[in-house]
Every structure is written in C-alpha cells, then in structure tokens.
C-alpha cells in the first residue's frame, strides 16, 4: 500500500494556525512524525480557511522539502493553487486532484505532464458526487479516456471512487469497494486506485474502528493507495495484517515489526 499521510491539512486547528503564523517547526514536526510512522508521501492541503492558498501552498512545499525528499501530494480543488506548488517542488509530486470535468482535465493533464507528476482523478463531475457504482465507472472511464487522448501514462493515474461518511451514505459503501476492483480492469495497463480513508468515519464516534475496518475491506478489493492518518497505530497494524492475509506481505512471527516502517 502506498500510504499518503493526511495530517498536513489546514482543517486541523494546529496546522491551520501554523500556516497562518508561518510556523515552520510545527509543519516540519507533523511531516516527520507521519514519515516515522510509515507514510510514503505527504498530502498537503492549505484548508478552506486559507485566505491566500496561492502563497500558502508553495510555502508549505518549501518548508516540507527542507526536511524530506518524499513525494508531496498537492491537494486543492483549484488548479492554480496546485501549479504554485508544482513550481517550487523539487521531488516527485502527485496532483490531488482532477475531477472528470473537461475544464479540469484540460488544465491538469498538461500540468501533470509538464511537471512529470502523478495524478489523482476523483470520480466527481459538475453534476455532483455519483450515487452508485455505474456512475463512478462512467466518470472513471471519462478520466482514463482523456489521459489516453492527451498522452498521460495510465500507470501514473490514481482513480478515487470517493468515499462519503458511512453515517450519511451507508448504501454506497459497497459501490465504493466494488469500484476499486472494477477501476483496475478499465484499461491495460491498469490505473491505480486510491481512497481518502478518513472521510468514511467523519461525524461518527468510533472513527478509528470504522477506518480500519473499511481499509481492511478495501485491501481485499485491491486498493493500491490511501490518504490516511499514519499516526493511528492500530490502523497501520491492521493494514499490515490485511496485506499479510492477502499475501502481499510474507509471514514471520515478527511480521508487524518487519513491516512497520522505521
Ligand atoms: N480523496 C482525495 N483527496 C482527499 C480526500 C479524498 N483529500 C482530503 C480528504 N479527502 C482526505 N484527508 C482528510 C483529512 C482529515 C480528515 C478527513 C480526510 C478528518 N479530519 C477531522 C474531521 O473532519 O473530523 C478533523 C478533526 C480536527 O479538526 O481536528 O476527518 O477523499 N483524493
């Protein structure tokens, strides 16, 4: 599993304040903690409260790349904000994200190519969030078709079926899981799949349990990558164990230590 740490997000009070006050240490501390817990990459989102995301995004990128060379996942609904991050990024990047709308794809696919970035495509369109698996598949196919047309490598594409909180969209959880399996057979080579895991438990009071149960199920459906809280130790141990059961990790008595990235 390619693990993207979710904690550098302005929606968290400490990070929102650190961005506003240009508190480098707080941001770097959060980055290092996530990496030491096993994150392979870091999501960076200025948060909706940011009044100057065009300045905050490149500041965050520069501050974080002072302490790590790991890939940064530039998370914004605004392509201009993502581009400001791409301009200063020295290492690998992941654009998070394009929707299936042509206006977005027309801007973000050329940017991804220009900056040799990977790209997350979320199965959302101007019509809103899909209500079932077929609508998700249709939007995924639109994104894949556009990548092929514009010469963007499908191996660098991550498709996100969009998970909603289980307390508001309980009937869609199965559609999301089945979408993961079906996205992978849309084309050859196959696109990768990704989820923003913590969405599933927002507004519930047993967040960690719901997150790790859903992640286990998603692993069984072939999920490649997740944006999650790597500081949740039970979540990380569950992930390692799920990947053991599905034969992605080899068993030994100390497998948790063996796979828990130092
Ligand atoms: N897909 C993609 N990108 C995404 C998402 C996705 N990026 C953002 C988000 N979803 C993933 N990141 C988070 C980060 C935090 C939370 C959920 C998803 C979260 N935060 C607490 C909350 O809202 O309750 C904040 C608590 C606090 O304020 O301390 O749950 O789906 N491609």
């Amino acid at each position: 599993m390619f693990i993207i740490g979710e904690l550098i997000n302005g929606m968290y009070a400490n990070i929102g304040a650190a961005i506003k006050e240009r508190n480098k240490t707080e941001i770097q501390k959060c980055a290092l903690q996530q990496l030491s817990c096993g994150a392979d990459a870091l999501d960076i989102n200025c948060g909706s409260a940011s009044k100057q995301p065009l300045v905050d995004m490149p500041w965050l990128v520069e501050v974080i790349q002072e302490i790590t060379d790991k890939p940064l996942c530039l998370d914004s609904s605004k392509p201009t904000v993502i581009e400001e991050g791409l301009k200063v990024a020295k290492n690998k990047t992941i654009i998070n994200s394009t929707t299936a709308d042509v206006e977005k794809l027309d801007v973000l696919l050329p940017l991804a190519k220009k900056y040799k970035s990977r790209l997350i495509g979320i199965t959302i369109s101007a019509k809103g969030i899909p209500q079932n698996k077929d609508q998700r598949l249709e939007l995924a196919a639109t994104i894949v078709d556009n990548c092929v047309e514009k010469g963007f490598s499908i191996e660098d594409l991550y498709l996100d079926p969009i998970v909603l909180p289980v307390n508001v969209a309980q009937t869609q959880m199965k559609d999301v899981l089945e979408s993961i399996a079906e996205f992978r057979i849309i084309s050859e080579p196959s696109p990768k799949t990704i989820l923003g895991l913590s969405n599933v438990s927002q507004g519930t009071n047993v967040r960690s349990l719901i997150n790790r149960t859903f992640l286990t199920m998603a692993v069984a459906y072939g999920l490649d990558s997740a944006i999650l809280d790597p500081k949740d130790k039970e979540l990380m141990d569950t992930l390692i164990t799920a990947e053991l059961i599905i034969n992605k990790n080899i068993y030994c008595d100390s497998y948790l230590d063996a796979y828990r990235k130092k």
Side-chain angles (χ1 to χ4, degrees):
M1 178 78 54
F2 187 73
I3 297 163
I4 306 176
E6 73 179 10
L7 298 175
I8 301 179
N9 189 317
M11 84 157 79
Y12 291 101
N14 65 324
I15 299 298
I19 294 172
K20 216 167 151 192
E21 293 154 13
R22 291 291 183 260
N23 180 349
K24 235 164 89 161
T25 325
E26 181 74 16
I27 302 291
Q28 291 174 337
K29 187 179 86 188
C30 181
L32 287 170
Q33 280 174 342
Q34 294 185 84
L35 295 170
S36 74
C37 293
D40 300 300
L42 299 172
D43 193 70
I44 304 180
N45 185 320
C46 313
S48 50
S50 163
K51 293 202 178 68
Q52 40 168 359
L54 289 166
V55 188
D56 290 345
M57 178 62 90
W59 178 76
L60 282 168
V61 170
E62 285 182 321
V63 162
I64 297 164
Q65 67 192 8
E66 277 177 20
I67 51 104
T68 181
D69 294 337
K70 292 276 186 185
L72 302 181
C73 179
L74 310 175
D75 188 351
S76 172
S77 57
K78 298 193 183 82
T80 48
V81 172
I82 290 173
E83 186 169 13
E84 291 311 302
L86 290 169
K87 281 183 190 165
V88 298
K90 287 193 278 195
N91 304 301
K92 282 191 184 168
T93 49
I94 305 158
I95 292 175
N96 187 12
S97 52
T98 182
T99 60
D101 295 307
V102 278
E103 308 84 74
K104 275 278 179 79
L105 287 158
D106 281 351
V107 181
L108 289 167
L109 278 169
L111 272 185
K113 282 177 70 177
K114 177 176 173 189
Y115 289 96
K116 298 189 184 359
S117 176
R118 283 176 276 171
L119 176 66
I120 298 175
I122 52 173
T123 55
I124 285 187
S125 72
K127 287 189 211 145
I129 295 177
Q131 296 298 309
N132 56 42
K133 184 179 71 178
D134 287 346
Q135 291 173 5
R136 285 177 163 83
L137 272 170
E138 200 178 313
L139 295 169
T142 302
I143 295 171
V144 169
D145 286 351
N146 268 269
C147 290
V148 172
E149 250 170 52
K150 298 200 171 73
F152 180 78
S153 162
I154 299 298
E155 278 118 323
D156 291 328
L157 176 68
Y158 288 79
L159 287 173
D160 182 338
I162 286 293
V163 60
L164 300 168
V166 66
N167 62 354
V168 299
Q170 197 173 0
T171 58
Q172 285 200 48
M173 295 300 120
K174 208 159 174 247
D175 293 85
V176 170
L177 291 169
E178 289 174 0
S179 295
I180 294 168
E182 297 199 16
F183 285 178
R184 302 173 86 226
I185 51 175
I186 279 185
S187 76
E188 179 60 46
S190 184
K192 295 183 175 67
T193 53
I194 188 165
L195 280 177
L197 182 68
S198 303
N199 298 9
V200 74
S201 63
Q202 270 174 328
T204 70
N205 57 8
V206 280
R207 297 204 61 171
S208 177
L209 176 62
I210 291 176
N211 289 343
R212 64 181 181 269
T213 304
F214 189 66
L215 183 59
T216 302
M217 297 172 82
V219 165
Y221 280 85
L223 186 71
D224 297 296
S225 176
I227 304 170
L228 51 71
D229 175 4
K231 286 168 70 181
D232 181 340
K233 184 173 181 297
E234 279 184 304
L235 176 69
M236 295 297 279
D237 283 354
T238 302
L239 172 58
I240 293 166
T241 308
E243 294 204 306
L244 177 86
I245 304 278
I246 207 162
N247 200 26
K248 283 192 178 166
N249 294 335
I250 296 167
Y251 182 81
C252 63
D253 285 346
S254 59
Y255 76 90
L256 279 176
D257 286 338
Y259 291 105
R260 175 164 287 284
K261 294 169 202 162
K262 292 275 149 42

